Amino acid sequence: MDEKHNHHHNHDEEKNTKKHEHNHNEHMEHHNHIDNNMHMIHKHDEVNNGKHNHHNHMNHGGHDHNKMIKEYKNLFFLSLILTLPIVLLSPMVQELLKFTLRFKYDQIVVFVLATVLVLIGGKPFFVGAKDELKKKGPAMMSLISLAVGISYIYSSAIVFGLKGHDFFWELATLITIMLLGHYLEMKSAVAASNALTSLTKLMPSEANLVREDKIVVTKISDLKISDIVIVKPGDKVPVDGIITEGKSTLDESMITGESVPVLKEINDDVIGGTINGDGSIYVRVTKLGKDTYLEQVITLVNDAQMNRSKTQRLADTFAKYLFYLAIVIASITAIVWSFSGKPADFVLERVVTVVIIACPHALGVAIPLVTSVSTSIAAKNGLLIKKRERFENARKINAVVFDKTGTLTEGKFYVSHIHTYGETKENVINYAYSLEKYSNHPIAKGITEYALTNNSKSLKVTDFANTPGVGIEGFIDNKKYYIVSPAYLTKNGINFDNHHHHEMSEDGLTVIYLVQEDKVIASFALEDKIKESSYQVVKDLKEKGIRTILLTGDNSGVAAKVGKKLEIDEVIAEVLPHQKSEKIRDLKAKGYIVAMTGDGINDAPALAEADLGIAIGAGTDVAIDTADVILVKSNPKDVIALLELSKKTYNKMIQNLIWATAYNLITLPLAAGILYNQGFILPPAIGAILMSASSIVVAVNAKLLRIKK
């Protein structure tokens, strides 16, 4: 215990220092990739969900995603402009709305407008259908193209003499609504990326390159691996790298949300975009471009969006079978009505109506819109989803396991007790404050903060020295003072109250000693502060009927104290990393669906073993690599937001699937004329209106996805 918390030993310091930066490394690796790879998201969906094939076509020139979205937006508005006169000049619409707008050759005008619309607005769907059929996987795009193609051919025949009603306005609204749906989906899909893209603004454009003992201002893009750059006080760190000379405290709050500056010394990693404190540091470049932290975060968001859940695959399957169903029902309709002696125009109208009704507008956007909105909400709330299927199943979680240090606690110390030996409390606090104010160690910060709240005096210190792994020393009023660990006292034969130290340690406290010359005059017992949000998350989880468990490698005294304060259901302490994963297996064997929340290397096996691995964002690379979801803000309370978002996302998906599927299953037989003998047949106009309405319903429903702030 003493060695672990040795006042200036590096175990905790190293953990707290590296924890934050590795989160940034994992969190930042994502940004420029989204600009270059947005088309890959849609290309991926091409393979898995036919309706996205046209995205690749739209993006053939390697345009970035914003340009691609703009193209879709322009295509939608062009289609809308063409659709409005087509709708207004439709005899069916005029009859439905009780108005007349007719002139010579008006239907020829409609035919020309519809032809332009089909060639321009319909092109992405035809391209997508071609790719689907080439892969022998007809689905969404094939069905849309079938409806548009048949509607256009049939309606054109009507204009040029075939008896019946044209479907130009239906095919026009079909194309326009589908373009709108895809535009909204694409826009939502990149919202998560855009929410993070602002981080790229953190990166400076230039760096101070050290070249032959000279400092040369150069562009970041011109730097190479192993170059040395100097970061002056107050400057932003230009690149990811390792400190080769100097030390300073760095403000990393813009990435981790952690307000406490982190002490960085030689051989410590630094992250591009963080702000240097009051020291100058020399940094050797270790990562550039796509390997940097910011870039990795963008890649992570991309991967999350491309990662398809079971519900998404279910929608794809529905679309595939709906295509075959449409062909079968349309064929049966044609055969039945033909043998019933109905005229060709009646049979054709029924067949075309069936195909239009079968077109799965709602199903096509039901799941992807919810997914993209969910991903966007997650990113805005500091939840980075790596494995969507695991995230989707988070709604079933009934036990949450927490690591202690850095997860439920801050890794930030505060003074719990002070014992004096032959000196007044006021004096020892003044002495300690005067020495510790020169140190950036977490324990020093705890003592300094305590002293400031007690209006302590700053005394003049001379010959101050900080010896890593030992402690600090200095002269006050010509007397030498040390602040050291118990291990130092034992090693140097200095007497101290070992019983008291043992008592404090067993209670989970870290003890350091103030020595005047060779005599101990005070001891300070400090405690790692529990995060305020930890109390709330445990309370909220218990209210939801979810079991809370503390799983830590720390001694049972420390664990029990934290567990008691937080009122956690179960405390498991003094476990090795491999034993953590065994404990997770034990919980699963008892029937629990387990989420594990941790931040350290020793948590990685347990994160992998759990049904849902949640990495605290300020954790290590290993923990983050193993996790299914990352809490960027390092706030355990975000676990509640995560579980809530998972449940609400799933509910929205199911709602949309039910609505979209029910619409198709109910209206298809009606379009075929199953109730014709009972005096009802679904008019093409009503069918088209219902078709459009279904798409709007699922889109609005997806947009209504919210979680509590």
Side-chain angles (χ1 to χ4, degrees):
M1 180 73 179
D2 295 340
E3 289 302 319
K4 178 180 177 184
H5 294 292
N6 189 353
H7 182 34
H8 291 280
H9 273 48
N10 292 327
H11 295 305
D12 280 343
E13 180 170 310
E14 184 175 342
K15 181 176 181 183
N16 286 321
T17 302
K18 300 217 173 186
K19 236 166 38 172
H20 301 303
E21 56 207 40
H22 285 316
N23 170 41
H24 324 322
N25 287 328
E26 188 64 33
H27 174 65
M28 277 171 91
E29 241 183 25
H30 241 85
H31 265 201
N32 295 332
H33 267 345
I34 235 158
D35 286 340
N36 298 327
N37 292 342
M38 187 62 203
H39 65 284
M40 292 178 67
I41 294 177
H42 302 298
K43 189 169 182 181
H44 172 93
D45 285 341
E46 277 174 33
V47 176
N48 294 284
N49 185 358
K51 74 190 182 64
H52 284 299
N53 283 332
H54 57 292
H55 291 187
N56 188 47
H57 167 74
M58 293 299 296
N59 196 42
H60 65 279
H63 302 317
D64 63 32
H65 63 285
N66 287 322
K67 188 169 183 179
M68 184 168 62
I69 291 173
K70 187 178 179 181
E71 288 175 355
Y72 251 93
K73 183 179 179 181
N74 292 340
L75 195 57
F76 161 70
F77 279 114
L78 176 61
S79 296
L80 182 62
I81 291 169
L82 292 170
T83 297
L84 290 175
I86 292 173
V87 171
L88 290 175
L89 291 174
S90 168
M92 195 182 297
V93 172
Q94 292 181 27
E95 183 182 334
L96 189 68
L97 300 180
K98 309 297 183 188
F99 76 94
T100 302
L101 180 62
R102 303 302 301 270
F103 55 86
K104 192 176 181 180
Y105 304 124
D106 58 347
Q107 293 311 293
I108 297 296
V109 171
V110 170
F111 166 72
V112 172
L113 292 174
T115 301
V116 174
L117 177 57
V118 168
L119 292 175
I120 298 176
K123 186 177 180 181
F125 306 109
F126 293 125
V127 171
K130 180 182 176 183
D131 290 341
E132 283 182 357
L133 295 173
K134 192 183 293 183
K135 297 182 180 74
K136 297 180 181 179
M140 208 78 68
M141 304 299 283
S142 301
L143 199 45
I144 295 168
S145 299
L146 181 66
V148 170
I150 288 180
S151 301
Y152 176 75
I153 294 169
Y154 174 78
S155 301
S156 299
I158 297 294
V159 171
F160 292 104
L162 183 69
K163 187 180 176 183
H165 298 286
D166 71 72
F167 286 85
F168 280 130
W169 85 272
E170 286 92 337
L171 78 85
T173 54
L174 168 58
I175 290 173
T176 303
I177 286 173
M178 289 308 290
L179 286 173
L180 175 62
H182 289 308
Y183 162 67
L184 291 176
E185 180 187 347
M186 291 166 65
K187 191 176 179 182
S188 297
V190 299
S193 309
N194 290 339
L196 293 167
T197 302
S198 58
L199 284 176
T200 57
K201 297 175 183 175
L202 298 173
M203 299 300 293
S205 58
E206 296 179 330
N208 295 312
L209 176 64
V210 179
R211 184 178 292 164
E212 297 178 356
D213 296 329
K214 293 181 181 179
I215 297 175
V216 181
V217 177
T218 186
K219 291 181 180 178
I220 301 294
S221 57
D222 292 336
L223 291 176
K224 296 180 178 64
I225 298 295
S226 296
D227 277 348
I228 302 294
V229 297
I230 182 171
V231 186
K232 300 176 181 178
D235 283 355
K236 285 183 178 179
V237 178
V239 288
D240 291 10
I242 294 177
I243 297 177
T244 60
E245 185 179 339
K247 73 173 182 176
S248 185
T249 54
L250 269 70
D251 179 0
E252 301 181 332
S253 59
M254 68 291 295
I255 296 171
T256 62
E258 174 60 59
S259 59
V260 179
V262 182
L263 175 65
K264 302 284 186 176
E265 299 178 310
I266 293 174
N267 293 327
D268 281 342
D269 293 334
V270 293
I271 306 305
T274 54
I275 301 173
N276 187 23
D278 53 7
S280 289
I281 52 175
Y282 287 80
V283 175
R284 178 169 55 83
V285 179
T286 58
K287 293 180 181 178
L288 290 170
K290 65 182 178 61
D291 296 324
T292 61
Y293 177 57
L294 190 59
E295 293 289 335
Q296 289 171 9
V297 168
I298 300 174
T299 303
L300 191 61
V301 174
N302 271 341
D303 291 345
Q305 289 180 337
M306 290 191 287
N307 189 254
R308 305 175 64 73
S309 69
K310 286 181 180 177
T311 319
Q312 287 175 283
R313 291 194 292 272
L314 182 62
D316 297 340
T317 304
F318 278 13
K320 176 183 177 181
Y321 287 112
L322 199 54
F323 173 81
Y324 294 119
L325 185 64
I327 299 294
V328 171
I329 292 181
S331 301
I332 293 172
T333 301
I335 294 169
V336 170
W337 288 122
S338 294
F339 277 100
S340 299
K342 292 296 179 184
D345 60 323
F346 177 89
V347 176
L348 275 172
E349 184 177 88
R350 286 301 95 208
V351 169
V352 174
T353 303
V354 165
V355 174
I356 288 178
I357 291 296
C359 189
H361 295 66
L363 185 59
V365 295
I367 301 305
L369 272 179
V370 175
T371 299
S372 54
V373 171
S374 170
T375 304
S376 174
I377 291 173
K380 288 177 181 175
N381 286 273
L383 311 172
L384 294 184
I385 301 167
K386 290 183 66 181
K387 298 175 186 173
R388 178 155 287 280
E389 190 169 324
R390 290 284 193 99
F391 160 73
E392 187 179 292
N393 288 327
R395 69 189 191 281
K396 303 175 184 175
I397 296 296
N398 56 15
V400 177
V401 178
F402 293 97
D403 173 45
K404 182 183 74 69
T405 306
T407 301
L408 294 175
T409 65
E410 295 181 352
K412 179 181 178 182
F413 291 89
Y414 71 95
V415 176
S416 177
H417 301 291
I418 298 175
H419 283 261
T420 60
Y421 304 93
E423 269 285 3
T424 65
K425 186 176 180 181
E426 181 181 0
N427 281 345
V428 298
I429 295 174
N430 289 343
Y431 295 145
Y433 169 55
S434 301
L435 291 167
E436 294 285 25
K437 70 180 182 181
Y438 292 104
S439 173
N440 281 308
H441 191 278
I443 289 180
K445 291 175 183 176
I447 292 176
T448 301
E449 187 178 322
Y450 178 84
L452 290 173
T453 57
N454 286 274
N455 299 315
S456 299
K457 294 179 183 177
S458 178
L459 307 174
K460 185 179 179 181
V461 177
T462 57
D463 296 334
F464 174 83
N466 178 5
T467 306
V470 176
I472 57 176
E473 64 181 59
F475 285 85
I476 300 174
D477 294 332
N478 295 320
K479 290 183 179 179
K480 192 171 186 178
Y481 291 84
Y482 303 83
I483 296 182
V484 290
S485 69
Y488 175 88
L489 299 179
T490 302
K491 182 180 179 181
N492 289 276
I494 300 174
N495 293 326
F496 67 102
D497 188 347
N498 193 50
H499 175 73
H500 168 70
H501 162 253
H502 181 73
E503 209 172 59
M504 292 291 99
S505 296
E506 283 296 306
D507 202 25
L509 302 177
T510 297
V511 185
I512 53 118
Y513 289 84
L514 174 63
V515 181
Q516 183 189 73
E517 301 297 345
D518 291 322
K519 178 185 176 184
V520 172
I521 60 172
S523 66
F524 292 80
L526 298 98
E527 189 170 0
D528 186 1
K529 200 169 187 178
I530 296 173
K531 294 178 181 177
E532 288 300 320
S533 55
S534 296
Y535 293 95
Q536 190 63 46
V537 70
V538 172
K539 180 182 176 184
D540 289 348
L541 287 171
K542 293 175 81 170
E543 286 177 356
K544 293 177 184 292
I546 297 174
R547 185 169 181 78
T548 55
I549 300 150
L550 176 60
L551 183 63
T552 178
D554 279 356
N555 70 57
S556 54
V558 175
K561 186 171 183 180
V562 171
K564 185 178 179 181
K565 282 188 175 182
L566 292 173
E567 298 183 0
I568 281 178
D569 294 321
E570 183 180 354
V571 176
I572 305 171
E574 299 180 9
V575 288
L576 298 173
H578 71 278
Q579 293 174 322
K580 283 192 174 185
S581 58
E582 289 171 5
K583 296 295 182 182
I584 298 293
R585 274 197 294 276
D586 291 344
L587 288 168
K588 290 166 70 174
K590 293 176 183 176
Y592 286 108
I593 299 172
V594 184
M596 169 68 193
T597 308
D599 71 326
I601 291 174
N602 62 336
D603 298 319
L607 289 171
E609 182 64 39
D611 296 293
L612 181 72
I614 305 170
I616 289 293
T620 64
D621 283 337
V622 175
I624 289 171
D625 285 342
T626 313
D628 304 312
V629 179
I630 299 169
L631 308 185
V632 177
K633 299 175 184 175
S634 302
N635 186 344
K637 192 177 177 183
D638 286 341
V639 170
I640 300 297
L642 173 65
L643 299 183
E644 181 189 355
L645 182 60
S646 171
K647 186 174 182 179
K648 289 188 173 181
T649 297
Y650 181 78
N651 288 344
K652 286 290 182 188
M653 286 180 171
I654 296 303
Q655 290 165 15
N656 277 3
L657 275 180
I658 290 172
W659 171 262
T661 309
Y663 154 77
N664 287 114
L665 295 179
I666 292 170
T667 54
L668 268 174
L670 295 176
I674 196 171
L675 297 179
Y676 180 76
N677 292 330
Q678 283 72 40
F680 177 81
I681 190 163
L682 186 69
I686 300 301
I689 289 171
L690 289 173
M691 172 196 72
S692 303
S694 66
S695 298
I696 294 170
V697 168
V698 296
V700 170
N701 191 41
K703 288 292 185 181
L704 291 176
L705 179 61
R706 298 283 188 277
I707 60 172
K708 295 175 184 176
K709 294 290 185 180

